[in-house]
């Protein structure tokens, strides 16, 4: 991780928004970007204005940071994320979490699109992350220890905070949006999984699979932020149906689910106490 780059990013945001004191953060993954429209947006800044963050380069990722507000909670919304499979290291992935930590936020909701492994997770389902499996083959905290990320060996027993998972259940009820819970497994991508890999992931306890979220969640948890995770299931994982997977399917499913994604996130913002 390049700490000089992390600080350059922080300076750029501080310069643009000297008054910003976000209480929480929202990272919007594939197909999630439009959820930002449900918030009151004060200002936005393209990722290209933030050193080290750069362009996302993935369809369905807007590449914009919004300073927003809802339910009295000032929020930094990251419309689009960087991925490990882009091959440019951990710095762009760590920047959103570093910014939130240094600007004083105490809670982060990380969202993604994922493939459903469990039978009761068809496309269009929202799934709260109860836990995760890091199958990326690497870890953003490998390297010299920096106290900004807490102790050398951060605990992950309650990585997705039980009280936030409970708030998600209340939000789902209030928004009348069905919500499932499950374990998310992050694989590196950029290929989708093989059917044999999905059978393996199922046996080791994964309910849904994707290529993101885990790095931001473990960094934020290590840094002392309370973390919540939310997947929009966009397809059945490879081999569950006898048909190939595509990114178009992912974008289509999030488009269909968008009204539920928006109303759920707003209710969740109303439910949480910071
Ligand atoms: N696998 C990996 N990542 C994904 C999937 C999937 O099936 N769907 C959406 N993102």
């Amino acid at each position: 991780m390049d700490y000089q780059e992390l600080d350059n990013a922080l300076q750029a945001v501080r310069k643009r928004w000297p008054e910003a004191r976000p209480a929480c953060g929202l990272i919007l993954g594939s197909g999630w970007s439009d959820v930002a429209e449900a918030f009151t947006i004060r200002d936005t800044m393209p990722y290209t204005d933030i050193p080290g963050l750069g362009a996302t380069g993935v369809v369905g990722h807007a590449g914009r940071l919004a300073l927003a507000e809802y339910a009295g909670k000032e929020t930094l919304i990251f419309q689009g994320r960087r991925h490990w499979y882009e091959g440019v290291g951990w710095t762009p992935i760590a920047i959103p979490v570093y910014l939130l930590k240094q600007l004083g936020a105490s809670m982060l909701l990380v969202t993604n699109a994922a493939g459903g492994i469990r039978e009761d997770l068809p496309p269009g389902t929202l799934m709260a992350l109860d836990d995760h499996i890091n199958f990326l083959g690497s870890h953003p905290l490998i390297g010299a220890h920096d106290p900004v990320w807490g102790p050398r060996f951060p605990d992950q027993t309650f990585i997705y905070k039980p009280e936030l998972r409970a708030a998600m259940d209340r939000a789902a009820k209030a928004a009348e949006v069905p919500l499932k819970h499950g374990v998310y497994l992050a694989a590196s991508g950029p290929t989708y999984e093989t059917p044999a890999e999905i059978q393996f992931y199922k046996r080791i306890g994964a309910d849904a699979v994707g290529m993101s979220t885990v790095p931001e969640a473990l960094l934020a948890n290590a840094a002392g932020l309370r973390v919540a995770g939310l997947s929009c299931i966009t397809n059945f994982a490879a081999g569950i149906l006898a048909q190939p997977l595509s990114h178009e399917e992912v974008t289509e499913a999030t488009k269909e689910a968008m009204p539920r994604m928006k109303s759920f996130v707003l209710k969740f913002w109303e439910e949480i106490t910071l």
Side-chain angles (χ1 to χ4, degrees):
M1 214 181 297
D2 182 340
Y3 285 89
Q4 186 57 55
E5 202 77 301
L6 294 179
D7 276 322
N8 291 343
L10 179 61
Q11 293 324 317
V13 174
R14 278 205 170 124
K15 196 167 168 206
R16 175 75 174 259
W17 299 324
E19 308 295 324
R21 299 286 179 274
C24 41
L26 173 58
I27 296 179
L28 297 172
S30 289
W32 279 85
S33 283
D34 287 352
V35 168
E37 291 166 1
F39 286 70
T40 304
I41 308 283
R42 298 229 183 89
D43 198 11
T44 64
M45 154 172 209
Y47 282 3
T48 44
D49 285 358
I50 304 173
L53 196 49
T56 64
V58 183
V59 178
H61 287 260
R64 189 168 48 229
L65 174 60
L67 180 61
E69 200 262 357
Y70 184 73
K73 297 169 178 89
E74 189 170 308
T75 305
L76 276 188
I77 307 180
F78 294 85
Q79 294 179 273
R81 66 143 55 80
R82 304 298 302 272
H83 300 82
W84 178 235
Y85 62 70
E86 292 173 56
V88 289
W90 291 116
T91 307
I93 300 168
I95 282 175
V97 182
Y98 187 76
L99 293 177
L100 288 166
K101 166 76 180 172
Q102 299 295 18
L103 295 171
S106 65
M107 198 281 301
L108 169 65
L109 173 63
V110 203
T111 65
N112 60 57
I117 298 177
R118 226 169 59 204
E119 272 168 28
D120 68 332
L121 298 174
T125 308
L126 295 188
M127 184 191 90
L129 272 63
D130 283 342
D131 205 343
H132 77 221
I133 296 172
N134 178 8
F135 217 76
L136 291 166
S138 188
H139 195 295
L141 290 176
I142 289 174
H145 175 236
D146 189 296
V148 74
W149 307 115
R152 173 79 280 198
F153 304 109
D155 175 62
Q156 296 198 110
T157 311
F158 303 108
I159 177 159
Y160 300 94
K161 287 285 167 284
E163 75 270 17
L164 294 179
R165 279 145 52 193
M168 284 179 143
D169 287 327
R170 292 196 303 275
K173 215 167 167 198
E176 297 182 22
V177 171
L179 179 73
K180 297 282 173 66
H181 286 253
V183 173
Y184 173 91
L185 181 144
S188 76
T191 49
Y192 288 113
E193 302 69 34
T194 64
E197 284 165 348
I198 292 302
Q199 287 310 310
F200 169 56
Y201 295 160
K202 186 175 181 166
R203 280 177 209 172
I204 64 171
D207 299 310
V209 62
M211 306 174 191
S212 67
T213 301
V214 163
E216 295 101 325
L218 61 83
L219 285 170
N221 173 68
L225 276 79
R226 295 190 300 153
V227 181
L230 182 62
S231 293
C232 177
I233 306 294
T234 54
N235 55 281
F236 274 116
I240 294 183
L241 304 178
Q243 63 185 47
L245 310 185
S246 73
H247 191 60
E248 287 71 45
E249 184 180 12
V250 172
T251 1
E252 282 300 308
T254 49
K255 227 181 261 171
E256 183 279 323
M258 184 51 65
R260 298 194 295 285
M261 290 146 79
K262 280 183 179 167
S263 57
F264 174 81
V265 170
L266 291 189
K267 286 289 177 205
F268 180 58
W269 245 241
E270 292 170 24
E271 283 293 338
I272 49 176
T273 39
L274 299 171

